[in-house]
């Protein structure tokens, strides 16, 4: 599955923390940029833990070579579980690959902005910066210069089995409010189904849900909330929208919108519940839908929906493009490396990659071809009713981790909403 937000990471099917480790990258570019003609061979490193990702990353290099005769892009596939720490060792040691996958924003071992501040990344051309998605430029831009490009965009929402839902009389669309959804939870339960599956014991899943609601209750009306929090002008506990987001999850739980035992469930409850037709939807990065449909051989049709907002609050779609590609400041081929990243950001590069992995091309227009599972979101995307994934600009990963564990505490009665939000404020520092 496509890598997704530094603090969520990979989780088999949905997102789990990357393990630390050490790995020497052989054959990557060396020290200073040489004078004279640039070498027309560059390296591109990534951490692919499954055949789908490997094929997608390799295709980027292959397609670029086909369109640029005489150019070679050597791919370096590293084990996903040790990729972030191994890459960080090389970048910080001045012996990085020419180009490599990295995480946009801050807070992870392979985050772009800290490396840009340290002068370790190649600054990119102004035309690249102009074509970055406006809602998430802070993932790649530092001090007025861009240092990375997104591989694609994912919707952070609900993977929904609409056919199954309608077969039992449940109707949920991208415009359905959270109150209207809650009103249908009892009817679904009466037919042996749960509207949503929740891995309540897995902080990445509970945190994901909380941020999905907060996208509308906090960041919808105030897209600059993160910047204000960094400046000390707002707090989690002092923001009504954060209280609303966490209280909404408790309301869903009390209305039995989740499966029985959700507060103590792991990810296996989601996979088992979905495969047995007992849950109608679950919270996950949108690329997971393609994986599931491909594995089912076309027998299951899924769509992507936003996590709904409470009645009276406009629903915003959370999009994240944090999985990115950057170039080393030490590359001997800065022009070629820049052009390779420009291709990744181009419409051609985005469309090819997104088709393979099930993501959304960045900078969607009315003429952009989306995979069928995204058609219901096209109006929201083109109308710019979207926000970035909030935690990509948080000060550290502990804030997100304590949000996730805090939601479980709310569901079990061991924590209050106030306690969770105050802990997040303390984590921020």
């Amino acid at each position: 599955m496509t890598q997704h937000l530094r603090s969520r990471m990979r989780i088999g099917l949905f997102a789990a923390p990357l393990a630390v480790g050490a790995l020497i990258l052989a054959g990557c570019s060396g020290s200073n940029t040489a004078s004279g003609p640039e070498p027309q061979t560059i390296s591109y490193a990534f951490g692919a833990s499954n055949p789908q990702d490997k094929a997608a990353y390799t295709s980027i290099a292959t397609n670029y070579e086909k369109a640029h005769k005489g150019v070679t892009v050597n791919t370096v596939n590293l084990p996903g579980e040790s990729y972030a720490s191994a890459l960080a060792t090389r970048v910080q040691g001045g012996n990085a690959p020419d180009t490599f996958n990295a995480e946009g924003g801050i807070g992870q071992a392979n985050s772009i902005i800290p490396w840009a501040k340290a002068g370790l990344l190649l600054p990119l051309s102004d035309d690249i910066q102009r074509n970055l998605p406006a809602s998430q430029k802070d993932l790649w831009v530092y001090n007025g210069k861009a240092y990375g490009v997104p591989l694609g965009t994912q919707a952070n929402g609900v993977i929904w089995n609409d056919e199954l839902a309608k077969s039992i009389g449940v109707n949920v669309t991208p415009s359905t409010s959270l109150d209207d959804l809650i009103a249908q939870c009892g009817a679904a339960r009466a037919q042996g189904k749960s509207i949503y599956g929740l891995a309540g014991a897995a902080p990445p899943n509970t945190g994901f849900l909380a941020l999905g609601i907060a996208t509308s209750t906090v960041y919808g009306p105030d897209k600059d909330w993160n910047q204000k929090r960094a400046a000390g002008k707002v707090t989690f506990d002092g923001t009504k929208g954060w209280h609303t987001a966490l209280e909404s999850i408790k309301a869903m739980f009390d209305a039995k919108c989740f499966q029985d035992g959700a507060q103590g469930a792991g990810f296996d409850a989601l996979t088992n519940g979905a495969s047995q037709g007992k849950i109608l939807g679950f919270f996950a990065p949108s690329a997971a839908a393609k994986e599931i449909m491909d594995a089912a051989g076309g027998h299951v049709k899924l769509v992507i929906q936003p996590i709904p907002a409470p009645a009276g609050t406009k629903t915003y779609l959370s999009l994240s493009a944090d999985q990115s590609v950057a170039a080393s400041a030490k590359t001997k081929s800065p022009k070629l490396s820049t052009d390779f990243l420009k291709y990744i950001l181009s419409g051609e590069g985005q469309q090819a990659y997104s088709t393979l992995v099930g993501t959304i091309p960045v900078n969607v227009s009315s003429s952009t071809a989306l995979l069928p599972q995204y058609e219901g979101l096209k109006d929201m995307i083109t109308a710019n009713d979207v926000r970035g994934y909030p935690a990509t600009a948080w000060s550290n990963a502990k804030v997100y981790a304590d949000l996730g564990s805090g939601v479980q505490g709310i569901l079990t009665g061991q924590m209050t909403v106030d306690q969770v939000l105050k802990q997040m404020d303390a984590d921020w520092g």
Side-chain angles (χ1 to χ4, degrees), residues 64-396:
Y64 183 77
E65 288 177 338
K66 288 179 180 177
H68 298 79
K69 300 300 182 184
V71 167
T72 300
V73 180
N74 290 323
T75 57
V76 184
N77 182 20
L78 309 173
E81 65 276 6
S82 58
Y83 178 78
S85 59
L87 180 65
T89 298
R90 298 294 286 189
V91 171
Q92 293 161 1
N95 191 28
D98 294 290
T99 64
F100 43 84
N101 284 6
E103 288 288 323
I106 61 177
Q108 298 302 310
N110 61 333
S111 291
I112 283 176
I113 298 303
W115 285 345
K117 290 180 179 180
L120 299 173
L121 299 182
L122 180 70
L124 305 176
S125 57
D126 291 342
D127 58 333
I128 285 181
Q129 182 173 336
R130 285 192 294 270
N131 288 310
L132 292 172
S135 64
Q136 302 180 70
K137 280 191 176 182
D138 58 349
L139 295 179
W140 313 284
V141 176
Y142 168 69
N143 201 22
K145 296 295 291 185
Y147 290 88
V149 299
L151 275 166
T153 300
Q154 291 210 64
N156 308 306
V158 179
I159 295 179
W160 182 251
N161 190 329
D162 197 46
E163 291 181 347
L164 178 60
K166 288 179 178 176
S167 73
I168 63 167
V170 172
N171 186 32
V172 177
T173 71
S175 62
T176 299
S177 73
L178 188 58
D179 300 63
D180 289 341
L181 181 142
I182 288 174
Q184 299 184 71
C185 291
R189 277 302 192 99
Q191 299 193 58
K193 316 288 185 186
S194 297
I195 283 191
Y196 289 144
L198 178 69
N205 200 235
T206 49
F208 186 96
L209 168 59
L211 288 187
I213 301 175
T215 296
S216 299
T217 61
V218 177
Y219 296 92
D222 188 358
K223 64 181 179 180
D224 297 323
W225 192 92
N226 277 349
Q227 291 91 319
K228 293 177 181 178
R229 182 63 187 85
K233 296 179 179 179
V234 296
T235 63
F236 288 99
D237 190 43
T239 301
K240 181 180 178 181
W242 278 109
H243 285 264
T244 300
L246 300 192
E247 290 163 357
S248 295
I249 297 174
K250 184 62 163 60
M252 295 165 71
F253 179 78
D254 291 342
K256 299 188 181 300
C257 296
F258 307 129
Q259 82 280 9
D260 288 338
Q263 67 272 31
F267 286 112
D268 58 332
L270 306 188
T271 54
N272 293 338
S275 64
Q276 295 168 14
K278 293 182 178 180
I279 62 175
L280 305 181
F282 54 88
F283 313 104
S286 58
K290 184 177 188 301
E291 293 182 31
I292 295 168
M293 289 189 288
D294 287 349
H299 297 294
V300 174
K301 183 180 179 181
L302 302 172
V303 297
I304 312 301
Q305 294 189 350
I307 296 174
T313 299
K314 181 177 180 177
T315 296
Y316 282 80
L317 175 66
S318 172
L319 296 178
S320 60
D322 46 293
Q323 191 184 16
S324 310
V325 183
S328 171
K330 298 288 187 178
T331 179
K332 295 178 180 178
S333 302
K335 292 180 181 178
L336 178 57
S337 296
T338 297
D339 196 64
F340 180 55
L341 268 60
K342 187 182 296 185
Y343 166 76
I344 292 172
L345 185 60
S346 71
E348 178 186 355
Q350 288 287 313
Q351 195 73 55
Y353 177 81
S354 294
T355 299
L356 283 172
V357 300
T359 53
I360 306 169
V362 298
N363 297 324
V364 173
S365 69
S366 58
S367 61
T368 301
L370 294 177
L371 293 171
Q373 58 265 35
Y374 292 108
E375 281 301 320
L377 302 178
K378 192 163 188 177
D379 288 345
M380 293 185 74
I381 297 171
T382 54
N384 204 31
D385 291 338
V386 300
R387 294 290 185 263
Y389 197 82
T392 55
W394 286 2
S395 63
N396 61 76

